[in-house]
Amino acid sequence: MSDFLAWVTHGVKRKRFEMDSRSAVVLSVVVATLTGVMALYLIVISRNAARGRHIEELQADIFRLQRENQQLVVEIAEESAVSRVRERAQALGFAPAQEIEFVVGSE
Amino acid sequence: MAEGPKRRLLLLIALLVGCVIVVVFQLLKVQVVDHQFYKNWAREQQVRAVTMDKPPRGVIRDRDGRLLAGNGVRYAVEAAPAYVVDKEGAAVKLASVLHLPASHVEDLLSSRDENEELRKWVPIAPSVSRETGEQVLDEDIKGITVRPLWKRRYPEGTLASHTLGFSTMITGYYGIEGFYDEMLRPKEVEWVAPVDVASVPIPWQPIAGELPRRGVDLELTVDRTVQALVEEELRRAVWEYEAEGGTIIVMDPDTFEILGMASLPAYDPERYTEFVDQDSPPFEDPAISKQYEPGSVFKILTMAAALDSGIVTPGMTYVDQGWIEVGGQTIHNASGKVYGESTMADILIESLNVGAAWLSKRMGPDLFYRYIQEFGIGERTGVDLAGEVSGQLWLPDDVEHWHPSNLGTNSFGHGVAVTPLQMVTAVATVVNDGVRLQPRVVGRRIAPDGAVSVHQRLVMERVISSEAASHLCEMLVRAVEEGATLASVDGYRVGGKTGTAQIPIPGGYDPNDTIATFVGFGPVPDPKLVVLVKLDRPQTSPWASRTAAPTFQRLTSRLFTALAIPPSEDGLVAEVGR
């Protein structure tokens, strides 16, 4: 013990720590309750985080699918554009009609 | 207790109390006095505004749902140099995929800021194709990010470019893209979220109050097939008649919906950047943004006003002396001829300037200009396209610009400037029994939640009576059958009027070039189309009857077929039973 501590403590009587069984039970219950609450809190928080991450992934999937969908819509439109249809029709041997004859159908 | 220990104990207590006071004071300062400061400081470190993935801009479709403007995907390749461990290896991999020099990529990955620290963010390739972006992703290089971007795509190329306008990554300009920009724009959501040390969001609150929303989709009144035919015939006319440019508008006279509208020169809206540096970029739509003197097609409006006001009747005649004096100015017929006793129909059939001036002189300025204004001349039509101008119509109360002779010259379309859309709208008013509606290009709006808003037809006013409109339509049919015969369509009754106008230049009119216009409609008696053809400075002939009229004939006959509009009875070849 250092001189300083001896200077401070000499002459001061230290009381022995004692706890009765009732207090011990109460303390145990309090500690157990606090531990339980903390455990529950951690479980809820981790589940919340996991679900949050899952939802984030789903959102990312939605955006990715939305992008792919838009891209496909554009590609389909390009394939069926007037100029493309005309090219294909000409390649298949079709030509613009020269003389059109109209007929009227009756029931 | 002895005196010594007691004193020492008191001293110790005093010391501890002093320390406690200091701590409590400091706690009070931090927790109470400077509470807000520390709270904000902590929040700045823990929370960041994170922008969620941007949804797409609203798409534009034609009246049958065919895509005219959509959204493709591009990728931005970016790097965080501090996180790129093997810079040389990363540079080689990126260079081979992006087709860039490896040394250039390595320089970017090693670039430092003014504090000589590696940069936090460097763009490597701002916009690469989807395939290239996915190749970079497959390389899985640490510190390299591949960010998706929306790119506006126009799958039909130059088709309807002036009507559509174009869009950058953020803003739309001209045409539909410009007019409906706010509506087409997606709604972005900035999400304030807790982040970790690397600024990556911690998913405590994964769902923002509001999710980002795509823009509103628009369905036009434009028919893709009509538009394609319009552009094809316009290109042919400009080439065949060696014109500088031109405009064609096709309108439904029952609804004033624009079915097709094209002008040359045009541009590819996806490559708008290539045109930006030109002296006069072709972005403005001449159909609504450029005014011109309409010439004799304006006589339709003069005649409409005269018939409706009762100044003349369809059966009335006048004596054409070959000249007339209005406001001190002598007006002659364009042909220089004297026509003698002429009917009202002759004014349109022979396109008599003297006759038109005679009508406006009989009406007087108040009546004449009241009708012209009611036809919408001198004001915007209100069409839902960006950049429309109002044309130019001087009125008698404008003493600085208007001269009494204007009453005569305006009657045959000189000294007045209109846009092609104003002119076709005015003629459609006559065809629509004298009722003017607001022309429009968007038919339906589809909100992101699927709610559909249909644009209702907007009646502006009744300009002339149904009877006057009917008489005038018959006169215009005769004007084609007996005058502009090159505009007549086999099997159909069509009406219309030519207009060959000189081009104003400083100090007078261009002696060489003209603007040739034909405005027609058909089939009579129940017209489904009103078509305006305007050719700028045709070289093969200055006359509209030889340039714009045959263009109208070719286009209209194709449109009647494409839209399954049957010919009049005598145009049918046979009747078959089923």
Side-chain angles (χ1 to χ4, degrees), chain B residues 29-47:
Chain B
K29 186 173 183 298
V30 170
Q31 300 277 2
V32 180
V33 179
D34 296 334
H35 171 78
Q36 203 56 43
F37 169 77
Y38 285 106
K39 192 179 170 185
N40 291 343
W41 190 16
R43 193 173 165 77
E44 275 172 25
Q45 292 177 36
Q46 294 162 0
V47 175

Side-chain angles (χ1 to χ4, degrees), chain A residues 2-4 6 8 11 13 17 20-21 25-26 38 45 50-51 57 59 61 63 67 73 81 84 107:
Chain A
S2 68
D3 292 344
F4 176 73
V8 169
K13 191 178 178 185
F17 175 76
D20 56 24
S21 58
V25 169
V26 170
M38 283 190 289
I45 288 292
R51 282 190 184 155
E57 285 169 2
Q59 280 176 349
D61 277 351
F63 290 130
R67 282 196 295 272
V73 166
R84 191 65 66 90
E107 293 296 331

Side-chain angles (χ1 to χ4, degrees), chain B residues 199-346:
Chain B
S199 289
V200 175
I202 301 168
W204 299 123
Q205 302 156 297
I207 302 173
E210 191 180 11
L211 284 170
R213 216 172 49 214
R214 58 173 297 161
V216 172
D217 293 345
L218 301 176
E219 224 170 74
L220 306 188
T221 59
V222 169
D223 182 310
R224 185 184 72 157
T225 307
V226 172
Q227 182 70 29
L229 291 174
V230 163
E231 294 193 8
E232 197 179 315
E233 287 302 336
L234 180 61
R235 268 195 299 274
R236 179 181 166 178
V238 166
W239 175 78
E240 194 171 322
Y241 305 121
E242 297 169 21
E244 204 172 74
T247 297
I248 294 181
I249 303 174
V250 179
M251 184 182 270
D252 179 342
D254 290 333
T255 58
F256 283 42
E257 289 177 350
I258 292 167
L259 302 175
M261 183 160 75
S263 292
L264 284 178
Y267 65 99
D268 184 346
E270 245 177 84
R271 298 169 181 270
Y272 69 90
T273 50
E274 294 173 16
F275 300 88
V276 171
D277 293 332
Q278 288 186 2
D279 289 340
S280 56
F283 300 141
E284 279 191 343
D285 185 354
I288 59 163
S289 302
K290 290 192 178 163
Q291 57 192 33
Y292 73 110
E293 288 200 4
S296 294
V297 291
F298 209 76
K299 287 172 186 156
I300 299 173
L301 311 189
T302 305
M303 183 61 76
L307 287 173
D308 187 68
S309 61
I311 294 291
V312 294
T313 59
M316 221 168 134
T317 59
Y318 82 105
V319 179
D320 187 299
Q321 301 173 327
W323 65 272
I324 189 171
E325 186 265 322
V326 183
Q329 185 177 339
T330 307
I331 290 165
H332 298 273
N333 288 318
S335 63
K337 291 182 188 170
V338 177
Y339 288 83
E341 188 173 350
S342 304
T343 63
M344 294 301 105
D346 288 338

Side-chain angles (χ1 to χ4, degrees), chain A:
Chain A
M1 189 180 288
S2 68
D3 292 344
F4 176 73
L5 276 177
W7 180 76
V8 169
T9 58
H10 83 274
V12 177
K13 191 178 178 185
R14 186 181 290 174
K15 194 181 177 185
R16 264 189 77 182
F17 175 76
E18 284 177 2
M19 182 183 279
D20 56 24
S21 58
R22 186 183 168 83
S23 302
V25 169
V26 170
L27 185 64
S28 302
V29 169
V30 168
V31 169
T33 307
L34 283 175
T35 309
V37 167
M38 283 190 289
L40 275 173
Y41 177 73
L42 283 175
I43 289 167
V44 169
I45 288 292
S46 64
R47 279 195 180 176
N48 197 13
R51 282 190 184 155
R53 183 68 68 194
H54 183 56
I55 291 169
E56 265 191 7
E57 285 169 2
L58 289 176
Q59 280 176 349
D61 277 351
I62 289 170
F63 290 130
R64 183 178 54 77
L65 291 170
Q66 203 173 36
R67 282 196 295 272
E68 284 179 13
N69 183 42
Q70 290 283 312
Q71 180 69 31
L72 286 171
V73 166
V74 168
E75 284 173 19
I76 291 167
E78 279 174 342
E79 289 299 314
S80 55
V82 173
S83 54
R84 191 65 66 90
V85 171
R86 185 181 290 144
E87 274 171 26
R88 284 184 189 164
Q90 282 171 349
L92 289 168
F94 289 94
Q98 295 301 319
E99 288 182 19
I100 300 159
E101 293 184 353
F102 291 88
V103 292
V104 173
S106 56
E107 293 296 331

Side-chain angles (χ1 to χ4, degrees), chain B residues 69-181:
Chain B
N71 302 289
V73 180
R74 303 282 292 178
Y75 285 95
V77 181
E78 295 158 350
Y83 292 91
V84 181
V85 183
D86 176 14
K87 293 186 174 50
E88 196 181 332
V92 170
K93 283 180 183 172
L94 285 174
S96 81
V97 177
L98 300 172
H99 304 295
L100 292 170
S103 57
H104 170 68
V105 179
E106 197 175 345
D107 286 348
L108 288 172
L109 295 178
S110 309
S111 60
R112 292 172 183 275
D113 60 18
E114 61 275 11
N115 299 323
E116 284 306 305
E117 288 176 3
L118 281 170
R119 288 187 188 279
K120 290 189 170 54
W121 176 84
V122 178
I124 305 288
S127 175
V128 297
S129 70
R130 190 168 62 121
E131 293 74 22
T132 307
E134 281 166 4
Q135 276 179 299
V136 176
L137 274 175
D138 290 343
E139 293 289 347
D140 194 23
I141 308 166
K142 195 166 184 295
I144 301 296
T145 53
V146 181
R147 190 163 53 89
L149 306 166
W150 291 114
K151 166 102 169 75
R152 199 61 161 166
R153 299 288 303 277
Y154 300 89
E156 297 279 353
T158 58
L159 192 86
S161 57
H162 281 120
T163 307
L164 293 173
F166 65 86
S167 175
T168 63
M169 299 248 278
I170 301 164
T171 312
Y173 297 92
Y174 301 98
I176 293 289
E177 296 273 26
F179 191 88
Y180 287 99
D181 184 46

Side-chain angles (χ1 to χ4, degrees), chain B residues 436-450:
Chain B
R436 181 160 69 96
L437 308 182
Q438 188 178 60
R440 57 198 168 85
V441 179
V442 169
R444 302 200 311 163
R445 287 179 294 171
I446 300 139
D449 62 1

